[in-house]
Amino acid sequence: MSRFQVVSGKGGTGKTTVAAALALALATEGRRTLLVEVEGRQGIAQLFESEALPYEERRIAVAPGGGEVHALAIDAERALLDYLQMFYKLGSAGRALKKLGAIDFATTIAPGVRDVLLTGKACEAVRRKDKQGRFVYDYVIMDAPPTGRITRFLNVNDEVAGLARIGPIHNQAQAVMRVLKSPETAVHLVTLLEEMPVQETADGIAELRAAELPVGRIVVNMVRPHLLDEDALRTASGNRRKELAKTLTRAGVTGSAGLVRPLLEQAAEHAQRVGLEREQRAALAGLGLPTAELPLMGEGVSLAALYELAEEFRKQGVGDETADEAGRTPRGRGSGRGVGS
């Protein structure tokens, strides 16, 4: 029952779209989710058709049932200023360091520090509670770096903890890793039904498991519909030209001979794609993880399409765990919290 859900995937697989749809799906029934991005691309703002996100948590959508989606674009520099204020009470002195360029120097000379700040800010949101002792957010969803970098990005806190044996930096790194390596966290990988994304997904899962980071679901994105039934696929694969020509003639199609070749070519291409997708599905099934599938949105990903994708998640049981199963009640229906998948 993971409250912190990290979404990664090979570039071009639509991981930002999946993260946004997941945030909407988990925010239903009065829950609150926080959707964070860490790469500075403002992809969340574009998807939700809003202005560029500032370094503050802002509500960007309302989910079915009255839930809320908040968003935050985490900036490493601002996160470092927060860190300096939290642990060293530097206040204006921290801002002076920024003017002197010391913060840029720190995050450049030690790149791992940047990742610690980004993951640390997200984990702080996961742990944050209100005055009544309830979690402020039911879920925190991170639009994370691509699959090739995700393990190092999440595991960098271990490296920092090894360098700093004592003190606030050590304690911060350890606190972050306690969240990241706990059942509170799940790392989902987004893929397409294509050989390279599937292979990168398999490699990413192996790396995450080796680092003892909790792997969640595989999300197969942009799934195209099958346009032919099994008999038609066999016909297309067998290149049964004469049979198709006779069928068209019986149907009253004039000039059927000229239509046969392009129709067979298109059908054969479709049958070949279906066959390749089945191979990739089998490869994903062999990884032993739960999967979810999202359809290809023909008109692009609009705000309305995001809600459709969120509903697809719900239909497949993502975020559908009820309050009764968890012994809690969603926000707005009592004093407890909802839980996720």
Side-chain angles (χ1 to χ4, degrees):
M1 301 300 181
S2 306
R3 296 185 53 252
F4 185 29
Q5 308 213 11
V6 180
V7 180
S8 181
K10 179 179 170 57
T13 59
K15 67 179 180 63
T16 301
T17 299
V18 170
L22 180 61
L24 276 170
L26 294 175
T28 55
E29 303 303 325
R31 300 167 182 157
R32 284 166 54 103
T33 64
L34 176 66
L35 176 60
V36 301
E37 66 176 16
V38 295
E39 296 185 283
R41 296 185 295 106
Q42 289 291 336
I44 293 173
Q46 295 174 30
L47 281 172
F48 284 94
E49 302 173 4
S50 69
E51 298 178 354
L53 295 174
Y55 183 70
E56 63 182 39
E57 293 159 22
R58 172 179 295 181
R59 191 180 75 173
I60 57 171
V62 176
E68 296 180 350
V69 178
H70 295 244
L72 170 67
I74 303 178
D75 175 79
E77 185 177 86
R78 295 289 299 274
L80 180 54
L81 290 175
D82 286 351
Y83 178 86
L84 293 174
Q85 172 60 23
M86 183 181 302
F87 290 102
Y88 296 100
K89 310 299 181 185
L90 288 184
S92 59
R95 292 189 290 273
L97 287 174
K98 176 182 176 181
K99 292 181 180 179
L100 292 172
I103 292 176
D104 287 338
F105 175 77
T107 56
T108 301
I109 198 171
V113 172
R114 178 184 179 86
D115 293 345
V116 169
L117 294 168
L118 297 174
T119 54
K121 184 67 176 178
C123 288
E124 181 276 324
V126 173
R127 298 190 301 260
R128 192 188 312 157
K129 295 183 178 181
D130 60 20
K131 293 180 179 179
Q132 287 72 43
R134 301 176 302 179
F135 288 113
V136 172
Y137 294 106
D138 296 286
Y139 307 98
V140 176
I141 297 90
M142 176 188 282
D143 176 20
T147 313
R149 294 199 293 117
I150 186 61
T151 300
R152 185 173 182 182
F153 173 78
L154 295 177
N155 208 40
V156 72
N157 294 280
D158 265 351
E159 299 176 23
V160 172
L163 292 173
R165 298 293 181 181
I166 59 173
I169 295 178
H170 172 85
N171 295 337
Q172 169 74 356
Q174 289 296 317
V176 169
M177 291 313 301
R178 281 196 293 272
V179 173
L180 293 179
K181 291 191 174 183
S182 76
E184 278 193 293
T185 299
V187 184
H188 309 303
L189 296 182
V190 183
T191 187
L192 307 178
L193 288 175
E194 298 173 6
E195 185 175 0
M196 288 186 64
V198 168
Q199 183 59 54
E200 187 163 319
T201 297
D203 294 342
I205 290 169
E207 290 177 2
L208 288 165
R209 285 172 169 167
E212 298 181 347
L213 290 163
V215 185
R217 294 175 181 265
I218 297 171
V219 180
V220 184
N221 196 23
M222 305 185 203
V223 177
R224 291 173 288 187
H226 290 177
L227 304 177
L228 301 175
D229 60 22
E230 292 300 319
D231 288 339
L233 286 172
R234 285 191 292 271
T235 298
S237 301
N239 199 30
R240 296 159 67 179
R241 182 174 301 177
K242 291 183 179 180
E243 181 178 334
L244 180 58
K246 291 179 181 178
T247 301
L248 291 172
T249 300
R250 286 196 298 269
V253 178
T254 59
S256 57
L259 292 173
V260 169
R261 182 175 179 180
L263 283 174
L264 275 177
E265 288 177 350
Q266 290 186 35
E269 289 176 3
H270 180 74
Q272 183 180 26
R273 176 173 67 80
V274 170
L276 292 173
E277 288 179 350
R278 285 176 174 169
E279 291 177 6
Q280 300 311 315
R281 273 199 176 90
L284 292 173
L287 298 175
L289 290 172
T291 62
E293 293 195 2
L294 297 178
L296 175 67
M297 307 303 288
E299 300 299 321
V301 183
S302 62
L303 184 56
L306 271 184
Y307 279 87
E308 291 181 32
L309 293 174
E311 181 59 25
E312 285 293 328
F313 266 137
R314 296 282 294 173
K315 288 178 181 178
Q316 296 176 57
V318 178
D320 247 347
E321 290 76 6
T322 65
D324 289 340
E325 290 171 337
R328 301 176 181 180
T329 52
R331 181 181 292 270
R333 295 189 179 183
S335 60
R337 317 293 299 168
V339 296
S341 55

